[in-house]
Amino acid sequence: MSLGIWALFVPAAFALNMFPGPNNVLAMTHAARFGFATGVLAALGRFPPFAFFVLTAAVGLGAVLATSAELFAALKIVGAVYLIWLGVRMMRSGIAARAETEAGARIGTLAAREFWTAATNPKAMLVFTAFFAPFVDPARPAFGQILALGGVALGLEFVAVVLYATAGTHVGRFTRSPRGLLVVERLSGAALVAAGVGLLFARRPASP
């Protein structure tokens, strides 16, 4: 792939990684409540699903999802329900959230939130498939090109994680008070509920 293609791909991919989607909301919230290191370590839970999406895009399964109304509908309902459930739970956490902050968070539990938020979002696979396509040289095998693009995209995703976790630590100064923590929990929960509702009403791309 030419340097010109990479010069276009890298900033576009980074802008996509920085979009304030559900996983980035989680990274910022976790860092606000439990600290920078916990927010970053928990965010590693999103990478196995994202890496799987890159691999499936390389072998063409993303196209299958894009053309299967039944599969897309099933996955988006599961993903939407999970996001709404998680968001409502965060908004209703209240005293339990403060107790969890004092006791410390279990990385595995927070990483599982990241994992399932990423894994149950069919739009993520479609984004990977649709986004990589314009940067692939049709005169060369697509598999290796998509893996290369995906590897760079995942690296940029980690940079986005660090930036969101850093932002979360600044928000964390506000959450040192019970009122501040409650505000952050409710705003983050509302963002996840909104993302879930948006996913529920999302339409699959039209077949070419």
Side-chain angles (χ1 to χ4, degrees):
M1 299 173 65
S2 69
L3 290 178
I5 292 295
W6 285 113
L8 294 173
F9 176 78
V10 170
F14 186 62
L16 184 63
N17 294 144
M18 287 299 295
F19 183 80
N23 280 101
N24 285 335
V25 170
L26 283 179
M28 188 168 66
T29 303
H30 291 160
R33 290 178 58 189
F34 308 116
F36 175 82
T38 297
V40 171
L41 289 174
L44 297 180
R46 76 179 67 174
F47 284 89
F50 284 172
F52 176 76
F53 292 163
V54 170
L55 181 60
T56 55
V59 298
L61 293 185
V64 174
L65 180 61
T67 56
S68 173
E70 294 78 11
L71 180 57
F72 183 84
L75 288 179
K76 79 171 184 178
I77 290 172
V78 171
V81 169
Y82 177 74
L83 287 179
I84 293 171
W85 172 82
L86 182 58
V88 170
R89 186 182 179 197
M90 291 177 69
M91 287 191 291
R92 298 183 60 189
S93 57
I95 296 175
R98 293 193 287 274
E100 187 180 12
T101 302
E102 294 172 358
R106 293 182 179 180
I107 296 294
T109 299
L110 303 183
R113 290 181 183 176
E114 287 266 7
F115 178 91
W116 289 112
T117 297
T120 57
N121 186 355
K123 291 190 73 177
M125 183 183 292
L126 294 177
V127 165
F128 276 112
T129 304
F131 182 71
F132 291 158
F135 300 97
V136 173
D137 182 354
R140 300 174 55 198
F143 184 82
Q145 294 183 76
I146 292 178
L147 289 185
L149 293 169
V152 171
L154 292 178
L156 294 173
E157 180 73 17
F158 184 77
V159 175
V161 165
V162 171
L163 292 176
Y164 270 94
T166 300
T169 59
H170 291 290
V171 175
R173 298 172 185 172
F174 177 65
T175 66
R176 289 172 185 171
S177 68
R179 181 185 294 272
L181 176 60
L182 190 61
V183 169
V184 170
E185 286 291 313
R186 287 182 174 174
L187 288 177
S188 299
L192 291 177
V193 170
V197 173
L199 178 59
L200 191 62
F201 290 97
R203 295 182 180 181
R204 66 187 180 93
S207 301

